[in-house]
Amino acid sequence: MKCAVIGLGEVGSRYARALRDADHDVIGFDPAVSTSSDGLTIASTLGDAVDGTEMVLIMTGASAAPRIAADAAPRLSPGCIYADFTSASPKVMSEVGDIVSATGARFCDVAVLGPVSVHGPSVPVMLAGPGAEAVATVLLDFGGEVEVLEDAQPGEAMAHKLLRSIFMKGLASIICEAVDASEAAGLTKWTRQQIANQLAGDGQAVIDRFLVGSRTHAVRRAQEMRDTATYLNDLGVPNTMSAASAQYLGDLSQRVVRHE
């Protein structure tokens, strides 16, 4: 299959090499890249890259997704698969899907559900849109987990990813703040063990415990987190996440009162 990879940073380069190793005919384009050290064919323009291709993979930043779709649209062949791997919002993905579909090409909203730096092209993905099945066929060759959302519209895969990001990125930020604070307090080993204990075991039970406990004790926990933020300030450690938790729990306590 003739494939174009748009965006040749860490992610795009890995996918381009994987596609080439799987015997696809690959051409890349990136305005910041004019030559490839590993022999990848580089197009001089976006239009030249996508012209006549059977599959286009967009590996740029999310902010560029609508512009790239609009610029590529006049050169897309009817039936071509256009797979957007950016982290654009569900609304933007839907808009990009409309641009692509108007050309007769088939759009696929690709939500990457893990770090490509760790998993490479075998990273788990979720797919939505008219081109999802075709994209799945290609990505399954890389050995990763590929989930196709049946009868889903463009943007629905990204909606799943962003809901996941609330806890994944939030949890990562909370852990970073807690470890930074524990290092300042000289209690790193103990704090890391406490975190590890909470991450182990029955995940569904932990979710239920957090939901019930936070709603039941929101007032007390909000004050505890305000005190935590003050303590971190005394340690000279940023307390963004602790302060946000205090704000959230304070707001939650008001919502609970209104619903009682």
Side-chain angles (χ1 to χ4, degrees):
M1 180 182 292
K2 185 177 181 182
C3 302
V5 177
I6 311 303
L8 297 172
E10 178 185 9
V11 175
S13 295
R14 286 190 174 214
Y15 273 92
R17 289 193 295 269
L19 288 165
R20 186 186 59 189
D21 292 345
D23 294 326
H24 295 287
D25 181 7
V26 182
I27 185 169
F29 173 74
D30 188 311
V33 177
S34 57
T35 60
S36 172
S37 60
D38 56 4
L40 182 68
T41 301
I42 305 295
S44 58
T45 68
L46 173 64
D48 289 342
V50 304
D51 192 24
T53 55
E54 299 168 82
M55 180 174 289
V56 178
L57 291 78
I58 307 301
M59 305 282 186
T60 66
S63 62
R67 174 179 55 79
I68 290 174
D71 290 346
R75 305 285 286 273
L76 294 177
S77 302
C80 170
I81 308 302
Y82 189 98
D84 193 321
F85 284 69
T86 72
S87 294
S89 71
K91 181 179 179 181
V92 171
M93 278 291 189
S94 178
E95 293 170 352
V96 171
D98 289 341
I99 294 171
V100 172
S101 296
T103 71
R106 291 178 289 167
F107 181 75
C108 180
D109 160 22
V110 182
V112 178
L113 302 179
V116 176
S117 59
V118 174
H119 302 286
S122 64
V123 65
V125 296
M126 180 178 285
L127 312 176
E133 292 289 351
V135 174
T137 299
V138 172
L139 297 186
L140 282 169
D141 286 342
F142 301 149
E145 179 183 343
V146 178
E147 180 179 359
V148 175
L149 297 178
E150 299 295 336
D151 302 319
Q153 299 301 309
E156 291 189 41
M158 187 52 58
H160 283 72
K161 175 176 179 172
L162 295 186
L163 291 173
R164 179 179 183 272
S165 293
I166 296 171
F167 71 87
M168 288 298 292
K169 304 305 188 290
L171 179 61
S173 299
I174 286 286
I175 290 174
C176 287
E177 185 167 293
V179 172
D180 286 346
S182 69
E183 289 174 351
L187 294 169
T188 304
K189 182 178 180 180
W190 183 85
T191 302
R192 288 179 66 100
Q193 188 59 56
Q194 290 291 307
I195 295 170
N197 291 343
Q198 292 300 317
L199 294 177
D202 186 342
Q204 293 293 341
V206 171
I207 293 171
D208 290 338
R209 176 163 57 85
F210 285 170
L211 289 172
V212 173
S214 295
R215 289 166 179 158
T216 303
H217 306 293
V219 173
R220 176 178 60 79
R221 292 183 179 183
Q223 183 58 51
E224 181 177 330
M225 292 312 300
R226 285 191 285 270
D227 292 339
T228 300
T230 299
Y231 174 52
L232 265 62
N233 188 60
D234 293 341
L235 289 172
V237 176
N239 54 60
T240 305
M241 300 305 295
S242 297
S245 294
Q247 180 66 54
Y248 177 83
L249 288 165
D251 293 345
L252 178 61
S253 69
Q254 295 301 312
R255 295 199 299 274
V256 170
V257 168
R258 286 197 296 270
H259 282 86
E260 290 179 348

